[in-house]
Amino acid sequence: MDTNLPNKSDWAIKIIAILAVLYTLQVARDVMLPITLALIFALLLAPAVSRLQSIGLPRSIAAIIIMTLGLSAITGSVYALASPASEWLQRVPEAVEVLRDQLGNVNSDNDNVDAASRSIDSLAKEFSASPSDPQLTQVVIADAGWRSELGEIAKNFGVYGTLSIILLFFLLTSGEALMKRFIHSLPTQRDKAVVTRIAELAQTQMSRYLLTITAVNISVGAVTALGLWLADFPDPALWGAVAALLRYIPYLGVSITLILFTIVSAVSYNNPAAIIAAPLSYGLFTAFTGQFIDPFVHGLRFSLNPIVVFLWIFFWGWLWGAPGVLLAVPLLTLFQVVCQHTERLLPVAHIIGDSNE
């Protein structure tokens, strides 16, 4: 009986440590998010910075060039899509009204439909910009609603985005030297070799994964935008960009895009065939891409268990919200690399999936 006590205490300490880490990650969300984002982009952009450095540019200049190009592309895209996105946000009440009417037409006597209609109606009131009901006016005065939330999100994005950019610059210019110093401080040669191998593979695996999935997502977004344009779908460039962005969320992203396309079609068209044309075409296209293109591009080198991916996304979404959902798969990629080169974590790496280098 006594021999089992140390094992039980060890397990208790490990569980308490894990819970403490999870609690810290959730409480320190505002601090950890910009750090995590900067680390992921540093792993992605470091190879490009090293290539510019190899042709004679100082590393700081190379980092500034790469970051400027990336930020210019992102800023330009946001600026180009800001106007149609704002217009669609203003049309949310109209979309909700259309869906409410369609739900009511299906079966007005059905209690479940009535409940759904009342819920959607309340959502329409919340999004409405010009309420006529005095009671509704009181609610708007008490709570600024979704516009206030968007403003808060934009403010946080500006603050933490700036912190991420500054930290990213330092990681690209001095991160390699810092890692070398850390490895040099390790006690044994074996530890130095393991950490060096993990660092190299983490950078290689992460950059390859992000570059390949970004290339695929941009291609899918471009083809989607072209198809929507040919079908005379409203704002095809905006919805192509949305389709590309949401594909970073495995499984869930495509489903969300299908729902958005269905809502936009319901608002824009009266013909049932026209309403289902865009969602159905996109669903077939993404099914083809998921079955043939994705495995060919990166699935042969890196595969993850779908159940693990789904649970991992759910976990990080609960922990950090929408940013956690977007960062979940890159973090899982990094975690698998660490597990594969840590002897005690090899079973965990096998559960997560296989990596074919």
Side-chain angles (χ1 to χ4, degrees):
M1 183 179 295
D2 293 337
T3 57
N4 291 331
L5 289 178
N7 292 332
K8 291 181 179 180
S9 62
D10 289 344
W11 274 106
I13 292 174
K14 291 177 181 178
I15 292 174
I16 292 174
I18 292 172
L19 293 175
V21 170
L22 295 179
Y23 178 77
T24 303
L25 287 174
Q26 190 173 44
V27 171
R29 172 181 179 271
D30 292 340
V31 176
M32 296 301 300
L33 264 177
I35 295 175
T36 304
L37 196 62
L39 285 172
I40 289 176
F41 274 98
L43 292 172
L44 172 64
L45 300 178
V49 174
S50 298
R51 288 184 182 181
L52 289 181
Q53 187 182 18
S54 66
I55 64 175
L57 287 176
R59 193 168 182 87
S60 58
I61 301 299
I64 291 174
I65 291 174
I66 295 298
M67 291 178 62
T68 301
L69 291 175
L71 289 173
S72 298
I74 294 174
T75 304
S77 301
V78 171
Y79 179 78
L81 299 175
S83 179
S86 177
E87 291 177 3
W88 277 103
L89 282 174
Q90 296 297 328
R91 294 188 65 183
V92 167
E94 178 187 350
V96 174
E97 283 293 331
V98 170
L99 293 177
R100 185 184 65 82
D101 292 340
Q102 290 184 355
L103 282 174
N105 291 334
V106 173
N107 189 349
S108 59
D109 296 329
N110 189 288
D111 292 338
N112 293 330
V113 174
D114 289 341
S117 300
R118 288 193 297 270
S119 299
I120 294 177
D121 189 50
S122 64
L123 181 62
K125 292 179 180 179
E126 180 182 351
F127 277 95
S128 178
S130 56
S132 57
D133 189 352
Q135 294 182 353
L136 181 59
T137 303
Q138 294 177 2
V139 173
V140 172
I141 293 174
D143 185 1
W146 65 277
R147 292 179 180 82
S148 176
E149 293 180 4
L150 285 180
E152 188 68 20
I153 291 173
K155 183 183 75 173
N156 291 336
F157 181 81
V159 173
Y160 298 121
T162 302
L163 293 176
S164 295
I165 292 171
I166 296 172
L167 179 57
L168 175 60
F169 174 75
F170 287 125
L171 287 174
L172 291 175
T173 54
S174 306
E176 186 176 353
L178 179 63
M179 177 59 68
K180 288 180 179 179
R181 292 173 185 170
F182 170 73
I183 293 174
H184 181 72
S185 67
L186 294 175
T188 66
Q189 197 65 32
R190 182 177 179 276
D191 292 338
K192 294 179 181 179
V194 170
V195 173
T196 301
R197 179 63 174 164
I198 291 176
E200 292 174 352
L201 278 178
Q203 179 174 308
T204 302
Q205 196 79 286
M206 183 69 72
S207 60
R208 284 180 180 176
Y209 171 77
L210 290 176
L211 286 174
T212 52
I213 197 173
T214 298
V216 172
N217 290 355
I218 291 176
S219 301
V220 169
V223 173
T224 301
L226 178 61
L228 295 176
W229 177 72
L230 293 174
D232 199 25
F233 197 82
D235 297 314
L238 171 65
W239 300 116
V242 169
L245 179 63
L246 290 178
R247 280 197 94 246
Y248 283 98
I249 309 173
Y251 313 118
L252 297 178
V254 173
S255 301
I256 296 172
T257 305
L258 283 171
I259 294 173
L260 290 175
F261 283 4
T262 303
I263 294 174
V264 174
S265 296
V267 174
S268 304
Y269 306 108
N270 294 323
N271 186 357
I275 291 176
I276 66 171
L280 180 61
S281 300
Y282 176 76
L284 293 175
F285 173 57
T286 53
F288 172 81
T289 304
Q291 289 295 323
F292 298 101
I293 306 300
D294 286 342
F296 179 77
V297 172
H298 57 260
L300 296 178
R301 182 182 65 250
F302 185 82
S303 61
L304 295 171
N305 187 300
I307 298 175
V308 174
V309 172
F310 183 82
L311 293 176
W312 189 267
I313 292 173
F314 180 81
F315 168 75
W316 284 100
W318 166 76
L319 200 65
W320 284 353
V325 171
L326 290 173
L327 294 174
V329 176
L331 289 173
L332 183 58
T333 306
L334 189 61
F335 181 62
Q336 189 193 34
V337 171
V338 174
C339 291
Q340 286 175 334
H341 295 85
T342 305
E343 187 174 350
R344 291 186 176 182
L345 297 178
L346 280 176
V348 178
H350 182 68
I351 294 173
I352 293 174
D354 298 321
S355 179
N356 304 312
E357 303 168 21

